Amino acid sequence: MDLMNTLSLSAAGLKVQGTRLRVIAENLANANSTAPTPGDLPYRRKVVLFQNVLNRELGMPTVKVKKIDVDRSDFQRRYDPGHPSADAEGYVLTPNVNSLVESMDMREAQRSYEANLNVIDTTRQMLTRTIELLRS
């Protein structure tokens, strides 16, 4: 039944957006996590990669998380000679996490999540109406 497939597809969308939100939360929580000692690296931002895969049970493509990878962009440097992880010149490497970018990603994930919830709710309403019509 197509409506049941719609529910499965939307559930897959909810699952990947939930994973995306978890990774964004991890990035935001570690936005100020510097290296413990000079020469070590601070927290590196993570990103979620999606993949379109064929769901053989449904016979249609769906989405899943392909991989949670690290963002290979450069770390930022901040002059703070008193910091325990400062190098000989007084600079501290800071994570490559931009709170503004994470907030925008979070907003996009939230909207995608809500869109999938709306599809599920609409599908549920259609199924309920169909059952009501069949009973009368």
Side-chain angles (χ1 to χ4, degrees), residues 12 17 20 26 32 52 65 77 80 92 100 102 105 121:
Q17 293 305 328
R20 183 178 181 193
E26 187 176 327
N32 295 313
N52 189 12
V65 173
R77 290 180 65 187
D80 188 358
V92 177
L100 182 61
E102 298 302 323
D105 281 352
D121 189 43

Side-chain angles (χ1 to χ4, degrees), residues 19-34:
T19 301
R20 183 178 181 193
L21 280 172
R22 182 185 56 79
V23 170
I24 291 168
E26 187 176 327
N27 288 337
L28 286 170
N30 287 291
N32 295 313
S33 297
T34 58

Side-chain angles (χ1 to χ4, degrees), residues 1 6 8 13 21 23 32 42 61 71 73 78 80 90 98-99 111 115 120 125-126 132 134:
M1 174 183 251
T6 302
S8 296
L21 280 172
V23 170
N32 295 313
D71 181 350
S73 63
R78 182 183 71 223
D80 188 358
N98 182 328
S99 297
R111 290 186 183 190
I120 289 173
Q125 290 174 12
M126 291 172 67
E132 288 172 2
L134 292 173

Side-chain angles (χ1 to χ4, degrees), residues 41-52:
L41 297 177
Y43 176 81
R44 188 173 286 276
R45 179 178 184 253
K46 294 178 182 172
V47 292
V48 177
L49 302 176
F50 299 120
Q51 181 179 22
N52 189 12

